[in-house]
Amino acid sequence: MRLNKLLIVPLFFLVSACESGSVESVDIPDKSSSESSSELTQAEWIEQNVPESEFFTVTYENDILTTEYGTFEFKESKYVEVADSSPTVIVRFDYKNTTDENQNIESVIWNHFDGKQVFENTTEPTGYLIMYEEDPYYDEYYNTQVEVNPGATVPAAYGITLNDSSAPLTLDFIDELGDVIGSKEFLLK
């Protein structure tokens, strides 16, 4: 469709020029040069415009996710069937705030965790479980809802809801540019 619009505009000027008895040249901008810079992805724009000294390299090694806001050391997971909810994997970890400011773990999770289930024919996103005081992991879940003080380490848990129980949970860990830097699979037992 875009190509058709590019052809129509010059043809319109050509027909108009022929009707008036004179022909004028029409410059058509080269799409490969000047306009391509406005079509950058967010990651490309950041790479080109943010000094390297301001980048923090997010890593995932030996069950430890290190982000610009702290570290997540994964301890265990547990598959549970929660009443009135989808099948769920409770992911437990210790979070350490390595910054000089209070941090909310949940916002860091949303920035760096991407849950999915890989089925035979599809890959589907997962959701998050809101826990209540009567839930067994509520105290650890509560730590993801409050601010963690600088230098503090807290035990935490997050419930990730599944589409069904026929495929394991895969957590992809995402860096500051949106790229997957590692994955952890949680088997359903």
Side-chain angles (χ1 to χ4, degrees):
M1 186 68 178
R2 189 175 193 160
L3 182 59
N4 291 342
K5 288 180 181 179
L6 290 175
L7 292 175
I8 291 171
V9 172
L11 290 175
F12 172 76
F13 286 115
L14 182 61
V15 170
S16 297
C18 289
E19 288 178 1
S20 67
S22 64
V23 176
E24 294 180 28
S25 67
V26 176
D27 289 332
I28 299 174
D30 180 11
K31 293 289 288 174
S32 64
S33 61
S34 64
E35 290 186 30
S36 64
S37 64
S38 66
E39 297 176 8
L40 295 174
T41 66
Q42 180 181 6
E44 292 168 335
W45 186 91
I46 289 172
E47 284 180 7
Q48 291 180 13
N49 294 290
V50 177
E52 280 190 42
S53 62
E54 293 182 26
F55 276 129
F56 181 92
T57 303
V58 178
T59 61
Y60 176 69
E61 295 177 11
N62 302 319
D63 278 345
I64 298 174
L65 176 66
T66 303
T67 74
E68 62 272 36
Y69 303 107
T71 60
F72 295 80
E73 185 172 347
F74 293 92
K75 297 189 296 189
E76 65 180 4
S77 65
K78 181 171 179 133
Y79 174 75
V80 295
E81 301 259 347
V82 180
D84 299 329
S85 185
S86 303
T88 302
V89 173
I90 304 295
V91 177
R92 298 178 70 214
F93 51 86
D94 287 329
Y95 169 79
K96 180 176 184 177
N97 180 352
T98 57
T99 73
D100 295 334
E101 299 176 359
N102 287 357
Q103 296 298 327
N104 176 277
I105 300 173
E106 187 170 53
S107 62
V108 181
I109 289 171
W110 290 353
N111 288 335
H112 295 289
F113 289 41
D114 186 23
K116 65 183 178 184
Q117 283 184 282
V118 180
F119 298 98
E120 183 178 348
N121 296 315
T122 62
T123 298
E124 300 177 21
T126 58
Y128 296 107
L129 176 70
I130 296 173
M131 293 188 201
Y132 300 98
E133 287 185 36
E134 62 273 4
D135 292 328
Y137 297 99
Y138 178 77
D139 290 341
E140 291 174 72
Y141 167 77
Y142 182 75
N143 285 336
T144 68
Q145 305 302 300
V146 297
E147 292 185 344
V148 178
N149 296 336
T153 300
V154 296
Y158 216 63
I160 300 176
T161 58
L162 308 176
N163 297 293
D164 67 41
S165 60
S166 66
L169 164 67
T170 300
L171 274 185
D172 285 339
F173 301 110
I174 311 299
D175 68 10
E176 64 280 355
L177 299 175
D179 296 325
V180 175
I181 55 155
S183 296
K184 182 170 178 63
E185 189 172 90
F186 298 87
L187 299 176
L188 312 181
K189 297 178 184 178

